[in-house]
Amino acid sequence: MSVLSITFHCTKNRLQEWENYIDETMVLMTENLMDVSQYILSEVHSDFIEEGKNYNLLLIFDTDDLREDFIKSEMENIAERVESRFGQEVMIFNTLLNPKKLKL
């Protein structure tokens, strides 16, 4: 199992448009990812963020190779789409999670 956490930070002034994008586009796009075995798309609650909001897409792959392939191809496509529509108003942070122990 291999996990990729993608955090999207959206500024306040594009928040409504971003939430619509998540509901109408991001969910559909995630459903169509072939190498992803499971995913969780979340709104992130934080007491420390006041200048916008974070959202997280947690992707679970069967192997490290599938995750690497995704990062090299699909992740670039996702980042390009988000950047072309939202510019600097949505920032993307990738975190590779390598489970030491798990119980799902």
Side-chain angles (χ1 to χ4, degrees), residues 5-7 19-22 26 30 33-34 36 40 42 45-46 50-51 66 73 84 87 91 95 100:
S5 173
I6 308 168
T7 300
E19 288 182 353
N20 291 339
Y21 182 81
I22 285 179
M26 187 71 71
T30 305
L33 294 173
M34 292 175 37
V36 175
I40 300 171
S42 305
H45 172 77
S46 176
E50 295 179 14
E51 287 105 27
L66 290 174
S73 60
S84 70
M91 295 170 272
T95 305
K100 295 286 189 183

Side-chain angles (χ1 to χ4, degrees), residues 15-26 85:
L15 205 48
Q16 186 60 50
E17 184 181 353
W18 175 250
E19 288 182 353
N20 291 339
Y21 182 81
I22 285 179
D23 293 340
E24 297 167 5
T25 304
M26 187 71 71
R85 182 154 178 188

